[in-house]
């Protein structure tokens, strides 16, 4: 049975822990791993996130934050299992806000947008989205860009950033939890995309929302 969350406690052997993290993510990329260590440096933190850790904790642990992260990860995994159903056109949200101004959109392109929106938290590849539109990958990319002005993966990333902004506005989630719940595979990717799209770090954005409240 596949684990829902893995807690990797490296003690003082951070280098060995990083090697083990690499092996674990190669074997089972979708399982979130929390990296614990008795010593830390910026180099270790960056290396761990690049290898795919969901979050990084240094001892002594902040037990409250650690438990919140674990509980949120388990809740997200449970929600994803419950929501992962075959695409049902009758139950779809038919108003993708990012593309409200687009008119005369071909049905296959609209269908691909709906697929991305309904699977925004899943691992979605270009091949899968093209298949949902009923097109070959290369033809789909050309037609999608023609009618939306975006590449398919750019559109998916924008949907995820919009979801992340709503999560940051509405609740006190950790940044790692927001990354998971908005569909990014690892926090480093989320941080880079969020800053590129919004011009602000996720932490600064959340803090500004708190000041407004």
């Amino acid at each position: 049975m596949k684990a829902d969350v893995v807690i990797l406690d490296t003690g003082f052997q951070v280098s060995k822990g990083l090697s083990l993290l690499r092996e674990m993510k190669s074997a089972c990329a979708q399982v979130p791993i929390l990296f614990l260590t008795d010593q830390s440096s910026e180099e270790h933190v960056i290396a761990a996130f690049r290898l795919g850790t969901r979050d990084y904790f240094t001892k002594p642990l902040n037990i409250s934050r650690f438990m919140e992260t674990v509980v949120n990860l388990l809740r997200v995994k449970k929600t994803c299992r419950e929501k992962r159903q075959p695409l049902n056109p009758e139950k779809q949200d038919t108003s993708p806000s990012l593309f409200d101004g687009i008119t005369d959109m071909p049905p296959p392109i609209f269908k691909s947008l709906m697929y991305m929106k309904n699977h925004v938290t899943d691992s979605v590849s270009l091949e899968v989205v093209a298949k949902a539109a009923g097109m070959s990958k290369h033809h789909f990319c050309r037609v999608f860009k023609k009618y939306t002005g975006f590449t398919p993966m750019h559109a998916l990333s924008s949907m995820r950033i919009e979801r992340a902004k709503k999560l940051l506005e509405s609740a006190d989630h950790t940044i790692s939890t927001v990354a998971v719940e908005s569909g990014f595979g690892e926090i480093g990717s989320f941080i880079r995309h969020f800053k590129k799209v919004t011009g602000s770090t996720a932490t600064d954005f959340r803090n500004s929302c708190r000041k407004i409240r």
Side-chain angles (χ1 to χ4, degrees), residues 31 45 63 67 83 125 131 133 184 191 195 201 205 211:
V31 176
V45 174
I63 297 298
M67 291 305 299
K83 291 185 176 180
S125 67
K131 186 176 181 180
F184 288 89
I191 290 171
K195 180 67 179 293
T201 67
F205 181 87
K211 289 178 181 178

Side-chain angles (χ1 to χ4, degrees), residues 61-74:
L61 281 177
N62 179 327
I63 297 298
S64 177
R65 175 173 173 259
F66 180 74
M67 291 305 299
E68 177 190 7
T69 301
V70 173
V71 169
N72 283 332
L73 283 172
L74 292 173

Side-chain angles (χ1 to χ4, degrees), residues 24-40:
M24 294 170 71
K25 294 303 291 185
S26 296
C28 198
Q30 299 304 316
V31 176
I33 299 175
L34 301 180
F35 196 91
L36 277 65
T37 176
D38 283 286
Q39 61 180 22
S40 180

Side-chain angles (χ1 to χ4, degrees), residues 132-158:
M135 297 181 178
S136 68
K137 182 172 68 174
H138 297 296
H139 180 54
F140 170 67
C141 287
R142 288 195 297 270
V143 177
F144 190 97
K145 181 74 176 289
K146 175 183 177 181
Y147 283 94
T148 69
F150 301 96
T151 65
M153 292 298 100
H154 184 180
L156 179 61
S157 178
S158 296

Side-chain angles (χ1 to χ4, degrees), residues 93-103 105 110 113-114 117:
D93 178 354
T94 57
S95 55
S97 59
L98 290 173
F99 306 96
D100 282 344
I102 299 174
T103 59
M105 186 184 297
F110 187 80
L113 286 170
M114 290 301 96
K117 188 168 186 179

Side-chain angles (χ1 to χ4, degrees), residues 4 9 19 26 35 40 49 53-54 64 68 71 73 84 91 102 110 123 129-130 136 142 148 158 165 178-179 196 210:
D4 287 324
D9 189 344
S19 296
S26 296
F35 196 91
S40 180
F49 279 123
T53 188
R54 193 68 73 188
S64 177
E68 177 190 7
V71 169
L73 283 172
R84 193 169 290 126
K91 295 184 178 180
I102 299 174
F110 187 80
S123 177
V129 180
S136 68
R142 288 195 297 270
T148 69
S158 296
K165 288 166 67 176
V178 172
K196 183 178 180 180
R210 287 175 176 173

